[in-house]
Amino acid sequence: MATVISPPPPLLSVHCSASSRIPHSKNKKQRDFGNFNHFANTVTKDVEFIKRGIGNGVAWANETFRIPQLAQKVDQLVWLRHLEDPIDSLSPLPSLPQPWYPGLTGVDLLMSDLKALEAYASYFYYLSKIWSKPLPEVYDPQDVAHYFNVRPHVVGLRILEVFSSFASAAINIRTSGFRKFLRLNPEEGVDEKTSQYNLGMVFKETMLNLGPTFIKVGQSLSTRPDIIGVEMSKALSGLNDQIPPFPRTAAMKIIEEELGSPLESFFSYISEEPIAAASFGQVYFARTTDGINVAVKVQRPNLRHVVVRDIYILRLGLGLLQKIAKRKSDPRLYADELGKGFVSELDYNLEAANALKFLEVHSPFAFIRVPKVYTHLSRKRVLTMEWMVGESPTDLLSLSTGNSIGDVSEYSDKQKVAAKMRLLDMVNKGVEATLVQLLETGLLHADPHAGNLRYTPSGQIGFLDFGLLCQMEKKHQIAMLASIIHIVNGDWASLVRALIDMDVVRPGTNIRLVTLELELALGEVEFKEGIPDVKFSRVLGKIWSVAFKHHFRMPPYYTLVLRSLASFEGLAIAADKNFKTFEAAYPYVVRKLLTENSAGTRNILHSALLNKKKEFQWQRLSLFLRVGATRKALQSVASNSETSPDHLPNKATNKFDVAYLILRLLPSKDGAALRRLLMTADGASLIKAVVSKEGKSYREQLCKIIADTLYQWMIKLFEQGIKATQNSRVIFGNGLNRESGLYSRSSAPAYDINSILSDRRLRVIFSHVLKSASRDKILMLRFCWDSLLMVIKASSLACHRAIVSLSEAYMDQIFDAPKRYAVSA
């Protein structure tokens, strides 16, 4: 075999020019210590070459010596899986015999000895059967502890692996300073944000190396920028969609094992590569034999043992932490809660049932999209659902900012603006969906990170991954609603009472001290138009600081709701720095209070708007009416009938006329809570609010409504008089009452004034208000004077509109006459 020998490389020559002899001032440090750029680049290339060689050698060894199959056998041997018997049930531990039997004969002692031997044999047989007991299907701390107590080598090896991974990460972080000194890329500066991002990337790689459980923990941390910082959160968010997949052959084998038939029996096509890889499984795009596009989710192999082992180690660590810190609460309960959730997520039959339940409960809300589940193609480790077309929040964020990790822009300004609009619309609908789950249905999606959300082409927000749902109790829903109101109103004592109702504050806690600390922590929050002008994550961080100090309990639903809102706010702020979660969420809270007639919401509404004397607090009432007048808050009330153009929302402010909404709401079925509020409150305080300087805008709106009513009454009277004359056919021949008539030039009100005046409930409320205010003669005099002015002004407006409309009707007939004569000629 011929061998080609390349000539030796020429000797390295050094050329020193005059310019090179003069060093620049910015390279002074490199002149003193030497320029390591060439050395570092050479070492980097050598390391990459060695890695490629090792990778090729490993691939050849795996194929030649069948190392994966051998590793599987070794894994079964380490876990003692060959000793497990799934159908074996462990009998209770037999009691040991007493060592001394006084007053017995030799025969009795012999028989006792035989019984003792039998008992010892049973005991050792029991010890031997411990190894055959499999890992429990349902998470139970005691059963899990029994399983791993006889497998200490498994736990020890995993602890060593975890320790070595974090030690390697710590060394990597510490050596980053030396790499910075070498200045491998001297043109790029490293600021604090970049340093935090690099730290997050190191932790992300560590989580990926440690497996599914730690990936789940990293995903949870990525939604908490208030705890770990924005840059680290951005780095860890890669765990949502950058998880390496497992081999396709293993996935296809699991599908065939679970479905019990070859793939061709169910699917005509399955993608070669997974569309997405999650911590517990990966998803393939497939097409059924019926031609339906579906998403097939396959669980990672040997996952249950790995997850439960990590939870057991976490439980051991938390128990050790409890002993060292001497905490009263048992932190191991957090590990147990996490274990129950993770193990339940491993059963895809349960996830399919959760998806069907979530779809059924949220089907009335058109903006929420839940994919359909194909139960005949779903098993414990395989889940088949409808394929959902849509964009993930990460894609929208990358497109709206126009850059990737390397800050390479490939998008036009128009694409960026469109992506930003879609992202903000998705966030608004995400906040609304969270509040719907919180305030309406009580069924919460337990894992709302960016990888489980989609924005569909039809403008809906789609949810994925229903492995874990949380069902809230009604009292907790009311308490969460009350806490939002109390934060906005700055009522810290009521906020603490709401936290008690949510089972957050422990019994025996110093309530007065907690109230003072919450007031100090949240009193710095600035308010804009009555709504906290601050990021939700900041408010959440202050509440968490007080909660940690006083050892608050954190129920699962409470953590899920706060995490979901904080996650959506983080996505929105990346596209719009002025986004405020409270501003987006508060209108739905107002709608809930004004339209739901339950004891809990009535108590919250009364405590929020009335003082101890049952007098209206005008500032809070004004905030409620102003926020409640937005399209999002009470559009459901206004949509029950055709809306007059005069009462449509202003496109600039997106608001309805408040007086119009009150007239629509009071006689309606949804107005029961508002009617009860008016009957409970002191009527004099309401009259004071109406005649006050702040109530001028509402008096003007009421004046327009009165003018509109008088105008319609005048037109009807005039129409009846004209129809009785001989000229009725001339004037109304073209249909004055139709498209070209008076009503076409002005819209009838969307409410029926006659029904309002004839409503006995409203008459009782009005008489109650006047009776309460009649004690103050001066107040009644001001009310009568303002009412008279409103009637005079409304009458003038109505007469002006009637004259203009009638004049236009007559002029149209005059100008149309020559045209008719010309046509007839």
Side-chain angles (χ1 to χ4, degrees):
M1 182 177 181
T3 304
V4 180
I5 302 177
S6 59
L11 296 176
L12 181 63
S13 60
V14 181
H15 299 277
C16 298
S17 62
S19 61
S20 63
R21 296 192 189 99
I22 303 175
H24 296 282
S25 60
K26 66 179 181 180
N27 295 331
K28 183 178 181 180
K29 185 176 180 180
Q30 293 183 2
R31 182 192 63 185
D32 296 338
F33 296 99
N35 188 352
F36 293 94
N37 290 341
H38 179 70
F39 171 74
N41 293 332
T42 304
V43 171
T44 301
K45 292 180 179 179
D46 291 343
V47 170
E48 292 178 354
F49 176 77
I50 293 173
K51 284 183 178 179
R52 286 197 300 269
I54 293 175
N56 295 333
V58 170
W60 175 82
N62 287 338
E63 183 178 358
T64 305
F65 301 106
R66 298 185 178 181
I67 293 180
Q69 292 82 352
L70 182 61
Q72 185 177 5
K73 297 295 184 182
V74 172
D75 183 68
Q76 292 180 356
L77 180 62
V78 170
W79 283 86
L80 305 177
R81 298 286 293 275
H82 60 286
L83 298 178
E84 296 180 7
D85 187 3
I87 63 174
D88 181 48
S89 59
L90 194 62
S91 57
L93 178 65
S95 59
L96 296 178
Q98 297 295 328
W100 182 53
Y101 303 93
L104 298 178
T105 63
V107 177
D108 293 334
L109 289 175
L110 179 61
M111 296 302 298
S112 298
D113 291 338
L114 293 176
K115 291 182 179 179
L117 290 174
E118 181 182 2
Y120 282 116
S122 301
Y123 177 74
F124 285 111
Y125 177 75
Y126 170 82
L127 291 180
S128 66
K129 296 295 288 184
I130 290 179
W131 299 86
S132 64
K133 184 179 180 181
L135 187 68
E137 294 288 337
V138 180
Y139 180 83
D140 182 83
Q142 294 182 353
D143 292 343
V144 171
H146 290 159
Y147 181 83
F148 285 104
N149 283 339
V150 297
R151 293 168 175 84
H153 56 288
V154 174
V155 179
L157 290 174
R158 180 58 172 174
I159 292 176
L160 182 62
E161 181 183 2
V162 173
F163 178 79
S164 61
S165 296
F166 280 102
S168 176
I171 294 173
N172 195 358
I173 294 170
R174 295 298 296 176
T175 55
S176 60
F178 178 72
R179 290 197 300 271
K180 180 180 177 182
F181 169 74
L182 293 178
R183 298 186 64 83
L184 298 179
N185 194 352
E187 296 180 357
E188 293 184 359
V190 180
D191 56 3
E192 184 178 356
K193 289 185 177 180
T194 305
S195 177
Q196 291 292 325
Y197 181 81
N198 293 335
L199 179 62
M201 292 297 293
V202 171
F203 279 113
K204 187 192 82 168
E205 295 298 328
T206 304
M207 299 293 184
L208 287 173
N209 293 332
L210 289 176
T213 310
F214 286 87
I215 291 174
K216 276 284 186 182
V217 174
Q219 289 174 347
S220 300
L221 288 176
S222 68
T223 62
R224 297 300 307 275
D226 53 309
I227 296 178
I228 63 175
V230 177
E231 297 302 322
M232 285 192 65
S233 175
K234 187 186 300 182
L236 290 179
S237 63
L239 293 172
N240 296 325
D241 50 12
Q242 296 179 8
I243 301 174
F246 61 94
R248 185 179 189 275
T249 54
M252 299 301 106
K253 183 179 179 181
I254 292 175
I255 295 176
E256 292 182 345
E257 289 178 355
E258 292 293 319
L259 298 181
S261 296
L263 295 176
E264 294 76 11
S265 304
F266 305 100
F267 305 104
S268 59
Y269 170 78
I270 295 183
S271 60
E272 290 294 329
E273 298 294 332
I275 304 301
S279 54
F280 284 0
Q282 59 193 34
V283 181
Y284 290 89
F285 172 77
R287 187 175 295 110
T288 64
T289 54
D290 300 332
I292 302 174
N293 293 335
V294 295
V296 181
K297 183 177 179 181
V298 188
Q299 190 177 114
R300 293 180 179 271
N302 195 30
L303 186 61
R304 188 162 56 93
H305 287 74
V306 173
V307 170
V308 176
R309 177 197 59 190
D310 291 342
I311 296 297
Y312 175 71
I313 294 175
L314 176 62
R315 197 174 190 275
L316 292 178
L318 291 176
L320 181 62
L321 179 64
Q322 180 188 12
K323 293 180 180 179
I324 296 175
K326 297 181 180 180
R327 293 180 62 90
K328 296 180 181 179
S329 59
D330 189 359
R332 294 178 298 178
L333 297 177
Y334 293 100
D336 294 339
E337 191 69 31
L338 198 65
K340 291 177 182 178
F342 283 179
V343 172
S344 63
E345 285 189 64
L346 299 179
D347 188 354
Y348 286 173
N349 288 324
L350 179 61
E351 182 174 351
N354 288 341
L356 292 173
K357 183 179 181 181
F358 196 85
L359 173 62
E360 179 183 0
V361 170
H362 295 93
S363 57
F365 305 95
F367 67 94
I368 297 179
R369 174 74 185 279
V370 181
K372 179 183 176 182
V373 179
Y374 296 94
T375 54
H376 66 286
L377 296 177
S378 301
R379 297 295 186 271
K380 188 172 183 178
R381 294 190 294 166
V382 176
L383 178 63
T384 305
M385 303 182 74
E386 174 190 4
W387 180 259
M388 181 184 294
V389 179
E391 299 172 288
S392 69
T394 307
D395 296 336
L396 288 175
L397 182 59
S398 176
L399 182 57
S400 62
T401 55
N403 55 34
S404 59
I405 298 177
D407 292 332
V408 179
S409 178
E410 299 178 353
Y411 312 109
S412 64
D413 293 338
K414 185 177 180 180
Q415 289 177 316
K416 295 178 184 178
V417 173
K420 180 178 179 180
M421 296 298 295
R422 294 198 300 273
L423 178 61
L424 292 178
D425 183 49
M426 179 182 184
V427 169
N428 282 314
K429 289 179 178 177
V431 172
E432 182 179 359
T434 302
L435 293 171
V436 163
Q437 298 171 43
L438 169 64
L439 304 179
E440 300 290 344
T441 64
L443 188 63
L444 300 176
H445 189 284
D447 198 14
H449 63 75
N452 291 335
L453 300 173
R454 292 293 184 272
Y455 185 75
T456 65
S458 59
Q460 297 173 300
I461 180 170
F463 286 88
L464 304 173
D465 193 355
F466 303 92
L468 188 61
L469 300 180
C470 180
Q471 182 67 57
M472 291 181 63
E473 297 181 18
K474 188 64 177 179
K475 67 174 185 176
H476 293 156
Q477 289 182 264
I478 299 298
M480 284 289 290
L481 178 64
S483 65
I484 299 175
I485 295 294
H486 297 324
I487 289 176
V488 173
N489 290 336
D491 191 351
W492 313 119
S494 299
L495 175 61
V496 174
R497 289 195 294 270
L499 293 175
I500 294 174
D501 294 336
M502 286 187 284
D503 298 330
V504 173
V505 179
R506 296 179 180 276
T509 305
N510 191 336
I511 303 301
R512 182 173 299 179
L513 180 60
V514 172
T515 304
L516 290 176
E517 292 192 4
L518 281 175
E519 184 175 359
L520 290 175
L522 298 175
E524 304 173 357
V525 176
E526 297 180 359
F527 287 80
K528 181 180 179 181
E529 297 183 353
I531 298 178
D533 187 26
V534 68
K535 295 179 181 179
F536 179 78
S537 57
R538 182 184 171 192
V539 176
L540 178 60
K542 292 181 178 295
I543 294 177
W544 276 99
S545 63
V546 177
F548 182 78
K549 182 177 180 180
H550 293 276
H551 307 294
F552 285 1
R553 289 179 295 201
M554 292 298 165
Y557 73 88
Y558 189 74
T559 306
L560 291 175
V561 172
L562 299 183
R563 187 180 69 178
S564 179
L565 291 176
S567 176
F568 281 118
E569 184 183 62
L571 290 171
I573 290 175
D576 182 9
K577 296 181 180 180
N578 297 322
F579 180 85
K580 300 293 186 300
T581 301
F582 280 106
E583 186 176 350
Y586 200 61
Y588 303 99
V589 176
V590 173
R591 180 183 65 184
K592 183 72 174 179
L593 290 178
L594 292 180
T595 58
E596 181 173 314
N597 185 27
S598 64
T601 54
R602 285 200 304 268
N603 292 335
I604 298 173
L605 185 63
H606 292 183
S607 65
L609 298 183
L610 305 179
N611 58 18
K612 295 182 178 179
K613 297 180 180 180
K614 295 185 178 181
E615 296 176 345
F616 276 104
Q617 303 182 71
W618 173 248
Q619 292 182 348
R620 296 183 180 180
L621 177 62
S622 177
L623 172 65
F624 257 67
L625 294 177
R626 184 171 63 253
V627 176
T630 59
R631 174 186 291 272
K632 293 180 180 179
L634 291 175
Q635 62 179 352
S636 60
V637 178
S639 62
N640 292 335
S641 61
E642 296 180 358
T643 306
S644 171
D646 296 335
H647 307 294
L648 286 174
N650 188 338
K651 293 183 179 180
T653 61
N654 201 31
K655 290 184 178 179
F656 289 98
D657 288 344
V658 174
Y660 159 75
L661 286 175
I662 292 177
L663 290 178
R664 284 292 306 146
L665 187 60
L666 274 176
S668 67
K669 182 180 179 181
D670 293 331
L674 187 57
R675 292 193 296 268
R676 284 179 175 268
L677 177 67
L678 294 176
M679 286 297 297
T680 305
D682 180 24
S685 63
L686 181 61
I687 297 296
K688 289 180 182 178
V690 172
V691 301
S692 65
K693 183 179 180 180
E694 292 81 2
K696 181 179 179 181
S697 60
Y698 302 108
R699 292 198 301 270
E700 292 178 351
Q701 295 176 13
L702 185 60
C703 182
K704 291 180 181 179
I705 293 176
I706 297 175
D708 192 33
T709 304
L710 291 176
Y711 166 74
Q712 301 297 335
W713 176 70
M714 291 178 183
I715 293 299
K716 288 182 180 179
L717 289 179
F718 185 79
E719 178 184 346
Q720 292 176 0
I722 292 296
K723 283 184 178 180
T725 63
Q726 296 179 354
N727 297 330
S728 60
R729 190 172 297 179
V730 176
I731 297 176
F732 294 94
N734 289 335
L736 186 64
N737 222 3
R738 298 171 192 161
E739 295 181 359
S740 62
L742 297 178
Y743 289 149
S744 67
R745 305 181 187 276
S746 61
S747 300
Y751 49 86
D752 187 0
I753 193 67
N754 294 325
S755 64
I756 295 176
L757 296 176
S758 61
D759 195 321
R760 188 175 64 87
R761 300 169 301 179
L762 300 185
R763 291 203 303 268
V764 171
I765 293 174
F766 187 69
S767 62
H768 167 72
V769 172
L770 292 180
K771 184 178 180 180
S772 301
S774 60
R775 304 186 187 95
D776 191 342
K777 304 300 181 183
I778 298 178
L779 179 63
M780 286 300 299
L781 183 61
R782 289 183 59 190
F783 176 71
C784 293
W785 175 252
D786 289 340
S787 300
L788 178 62
L789 292 179
M790 282 193 298
V791 171
I792 293 174
K793 183 177 180 181
S795 301
S796 302
L797 291 174
C799 291
H800 177 264
R801 290 177 59 188
I803 292 173
V804 170
S805 299
L806 292 173
S807 300
E808 290 179 353
Y810 276 107
M811 295 301 293
D812 287 343
Q813 296 297 322
I814 293 174
F815 286 114
D816 286 344
K819 296 179 182 180
R820 290 198 299 271
Y821 286 127
V823 171
S824 61

